Amino acid sequence: MAKSDAFYIRAQVTAGSGNYAQQEIDLGSFVNLGVKSSTLLRIHSVQVAVTDGTNAETPPSHTSGFGIGWQLTTESQSDLVYMNDKSVVASGLNAGYNTETASGTFGTGFASDVFNLNPSDFVKGYLIGVDSLFLGSECNVTLSTGDYNVDIILECTLESATQASATALALSQQ
């Protein structure tokens, strides 16, 4: 299969109030399931940042513990799904616990992603044969800082494939 030079796809979903939010990432200009030949997208790495909705330098905050889950899927979802769902490309869970400061305000005591390790790269890449990806997120509480953002950067290349193998891949991801 012929490969292209690497390029990057960026997306952001803003969520809050304990509700699931989702943003579609249109891949129609990259993925093409043609009659004789097809073009597929290969994701080599996934970088994610979870930040406060009003300040990219500030982590989300709450007066007690919180968990922020995010997922990148090949199908639209209405809630977070488990990693055994065939539509999941990547997922992560960021947890935090805030402590009260001497002035009576709350600040992040710790934040961790060890509960669901956020991916950084795939050794051979993750091949995509669908026209859209979906970046979704949900927090288990209403954060005291309000909305938060999940930003994602995907390092990608394009590859040629036969129509039969591309169709089989696309059907397996839906």
Side-chain angles (χ1 to χ4, degrees):
M1 288 194 236
K3 291 185 180 181
S4 70
D5 290 335
F7 61 95
Y8 301 91
I9 297 174
R10 292 170 169 79
Q12 180 183 74
V13 64
T14 300
S17 303
N19 296 320
Y20 183 76
Q22 178 175 271
Q23 180 66 43
E24 183 176 2
I25 304 169
D26 183 12
L27 302 177
S29 60
F30 305 111
V31 176
N32 177 18
L33 301 180
V35 176
K36 292 186 179 182
S37 66
S38 299
T39 304
L40 303 174
L41 180 84
R42 186 174 296 274
I43 299 173
H44 296 278
S45 70
V46 178
Q47 301 299 318
V48 176
V50 178
T51 59
D52 181 74
T54 59
N55 185 344
E57 299 174 356
T58 306
S61 185
H62 188 58
T63 55
S64 63
F66 63 90
I68 296 174
W70 64 269
Q71 62 191 11
L72 182 66
T73 61
T74 58
E75 292 182 314
S76 180
Q77 303 293 337
S78 59
D79 203 349
L80 294 173
V81 296
Y82 290 102
M83 288 196 59
N84 66 346
D85 187 294
K86 66 182 178 180
S87 73
V88 174
V89 175
S91 71
L93 174 63
N94 294 67
Y97 185 78
N98 295 332
T99 56
E100 191 169 0
T101 64
S103 63
T105 60
F106 287 86
T108 301
F110 79 87
S112 175
D113 67 355
V114 298
F115 303 103
N116 181 347
L117 296 177
N118 296 299
S120 58
D121 60 85
F122 300 107
V123 173
K124 297 200 181 234
Y126 194 106
L127 204 54
I128 301 293
V130 294
D131 288 336
S132 294
L133 291 174
F134 299 88
L135 176 61
S137 183
E138 184 174 6
C139 184
N140 65 337
V141 296
T142 301
L143 297 169
S144 59
T145 52
D147 291 347
Y148 66 93
N149 294 327
V150 175
D151 294 283
I152 193 167
I153 299 175
L154 307 174
E155 179 186 10
C156 307
T157 56
L158 298 177
E159 296 185 16
S160 299
T162 65
Q163 190 270 340
S165 64
T167 301
L169 175 66
L171 291 173
S172 74
Q173 294 179 336
Q174 295 180 334

